[in-house]
Amino acid sequence: MGDLTYWSFPTRIVFGIGAAEQTGVEATRLGAKRALIVTDKGVVGAGVLGGIERSLRGAGITWSIFDDVLGNPIEKNVHDGVRAFRESGADLVIAIGGGSPLDVGKLVRLGVNHTRPLADYDDAKGGDRYITSNVPPMLALPTTAGTGSEVGRSGVVTIDATHRKTVIFSPHLLANAAIIDPELTRGLPPFFTAATGFDALTHCLEAYVARGDHPMADGIAFEGIRLVARYIERAYARGDDLEARGGMLKASMMGAVAFQKGLGACHSLAHPLSSEHNLHHGLANALCLPAVCAFNAEVAGARLAEVGALLGGEASPRGCVDALRNLRSRLGLVSGLGEAGVPRESIDKLADLAFEDACHGSNPRPCSRDDLRALYEASF
């Protein structure tokens, strides 16, 4: 028997303007009576929860709110969320926000019935073997179009012991339903529209060129790149363009589905930038992606040429790199790590952490620690 490959795309998705009004209906489908809403203070302050709470009230479901989630989540956010779930008597997690609340929501549901230290579940160490189906149900409602965490099967958290962004991955962490409403992203400011959009683009692009055979992921990644190219600048320029907002939400979710194939060196570079210097993850990707594509050109040139053409540039690896830099500039993002406030003297530590990160394992061109250091240098 030859090598076998397993492919899976199972999430239930409710998509469209006004979809958030179905939260109560979806919670009832899951047999829930009391929900814990996992979110952050920015989402609460933006008034996003009002319609969702009305939907829950109409379905006879009570709820409490846990909003102590940081932009780059740490272990304490998860432990505090688990405590809130237990103390409130909840039987459902409703995660609302960007990638951070959605990731923490998944890890809260993990922690309810799984008692090992979070570090034990590190995917890079085979921690998925400890994750069972014994988790409470979850609904996921994204308010940004970037991580696609609403349809992903991983949560990312900075572990206390290592100060390293750690991926915890299992199909058991998939939300029972993703409710994707462009209205929830209407108020996203231009910077976050650009940065989260670049995260979606990076997921799609890295998955498309990643090592391995996954034609379903490749097709979805390619279409996700096309959607970003079509809609990101419209969403950036006119936040109330709901067609563009919806297009970016589709691209975001497609990126998260596609990267089950694998990511690459850009994510290994980006993760330490967030954990060490609190850089927005999408911005970190935007700053490192051109250099990574140039590095990968000799082994993934044909696919990078296709991406270059999709992004409106020349159909060549160089055209892809130039198109990414031009798009980054048009979206008002800074042009290098130095401009983003990263001190050059931190490169050696960052390179050590990036090499420990598992994402570069599926990069199309193998990366040494020195390669990753050079990519940081090229991103300044």
Side-chain angles (χ1 to χ4, degrees), residues 85 90-93 108-110 112-113 133-138 176:
F85 185 94
D91 55 11
L92 170 72
V93 171
V108 165
R109 69 196 294 233
L110 172 67
V112 170
N113 297 315
S133 61
N134 187 18
V135 295
M138 173 175 152
N176 296 78

Side-chain angles (χ1 to χ4, degrees), residues 289-339:
L289 188 59
V292 170
C293 288
F295 175 80
N296 287 332
E298 67 181 50
V299 295
R303 291 201 169 194
L304 290 171
E306 292 174 330
V307 173
L310 271 185
L311 295 177
E314 180 183 300
S316 69
R318 181 76 251 172
C320 177
V321 172
D322 290 343
L324 289 169
R325 287 183 173 140
N326 291 337
L327 177 60
R328 187 175 65 191
S329 176
R330 293 197 303 273
L331 294 174
L333 298 174
V334 296
S335 61
L337 294 175
E339 201 176 335

Side-chain angles (χ1 to χ4, degrees), residues 59-79:
I61 293 168
T62 58
W63 68 90
S64 54
I65 296 172
F66 172 74
D67 63 2
D68 286 331
V69 177
L70 297 177
N72 287 306
I74 58 175
E75 272 199 61
K76 185 177 188 300
N77 300 155
V78 176
H79 298 317

Side-chain angles (χ1 to χ4, degrees), residues 104-126:
V104 170
K106 292 177 201 171
L107 299 180
V108 165
R109 69 196 294 233
L110 172 67
V112 170
N113 297 315
H114 292 69
T115 57
R116 287 176 173 272
L118 277 179
D120 284 3
Y121 303 109
D122 183 349
D123 185 60
K125 299 176 180 176

Side-chain angles (χ1 to χ4, degrees), residues 44-349:
V44 174
V48 168
L49 300 185
I52 296 165
E53 291 175 331
R54 283 193 299 275
S55 176
L56 293 172
R57 189 177 297 113
I61 293 168
T62 58
W63 68 90
S64 54
I65 296 172
F66 172 74
D67 63 2
D68 286 331
V69 177
L70 297 177
N72 287 306
I74 58 175
E75 272 199 61
K76 185 177 188 300
N77 300 155
V78 176
H79 298 317
D80 289 349
V82 171
R83 187 178 308 110
F85 185 94
R86 290 174 174 152
E87 290 176 353
S88 69
D91 55 11
L92 170 72
V93 171
I94 301 178
I96 305 169
S100 297
L102 299 185
D103 281 5
V104 170
K106 292 177 201 171
L107 299 180
V108 165
R109 69 196 294 233
L110 172 67
V112 170
N113 297 315
H114 292 69
T115 57
R116 287 176 173 272
L118 277 179
D120 284 3
Y121 303 109
D122 183 349
D123 185 60
K125 299 176 180 176
D128 61 314
R129 68 187 182 276
Y130 299 125
I131 302 176
T132 73
S133 61
N134 187 18
V135 295
M138 173 175 152
L139 300 175
L141 291 86
T143 61
T144 67
T147 68
S149 186
E150 65 276 5
V151 295
R153 56 199 73 192
S154 63
V156 180
V157 64
T158 298
I159 296 294
D160 291 345
T162 60
H163 301 290
R164 183 170 57 82
K165 271 199 164 190
T166 298
V167 177
I168 296 173
F169 178 98
S170 169
H172 298 307
L173 298 181
L174 282 165
N176 296 78
I179 300 173
I180 301 176
D181 188 341
E183 287 277 6
L184 298 187
T185 66
R186 183 199 288 267
L188 194 64
F191 167 78
F192 291 106
T193 299
T196 56
F198 239 99
D199 192 25
L201 174 59
T202 306
H203 290 159
C204 292
L205 198 163
E206 287 212 289
Y208 189 54
V209 302
R211 292 170 51 233
D213 176 31
H214 203 318
M216 296 164 74
D218 287 343
I220 289 171
F222 193 77
E223 175 65 6
I225 295 167
R226 191 189 69 82
L227 288 170
V228 172
R230 181 174 182 180
Y231 289 119
I232 190 169
E233 290 180 81
R234 278 176 53 180
Y236 173 76
R238 298 187 301 279
D240 60 353
D241 182 338
L242 292 182
E243 180 188 346
R245 291 295 195 185
M248 286 305 299
L249 281 164
K250 290 176 183 176
S252 173
M253 119 177 101
M254 292 168 83
V257 169
F259 77 60
Q260 63 174 283
K261 178 189 174 191
L263 285 166
C266 187
H267 269 75
S268 287
L269 297 170
H271 286 153
L273 290 168
S274 296
S275 60
E276 292 294 307
H277 300 289
N278 209 34
L279 219 62
H280 185 282
H281 175 65
L283 176 60
N285 278 328
L287 295 176
C288 297
L289 188 59
V292 170
C293 288
F295 175 80
N296 287 332
E298 67 181 50
V299 295
R303 291 201 169 194
L304 290 171
E306 292 174 330
V307 173
L310 271 185
L311 295 177
E314 180 183 300
S316 69
R318 181 76 251 172
C320 177
V321 172
D322 290 343
L324 289 169
R325 287 183 173 140
N326 291 337
L327 177 60
R328 187 175 65 191
S329 176
R330 293 197 303 273
L331 294 174
L333 298 174
V334 296
S335 61
L337 294 175
E339 201 176 335
V342 178
R344 193 177 283 271
E345 56 268 24
S346 69
I347 286 181
D348 282 316
K349 182 178 182 182

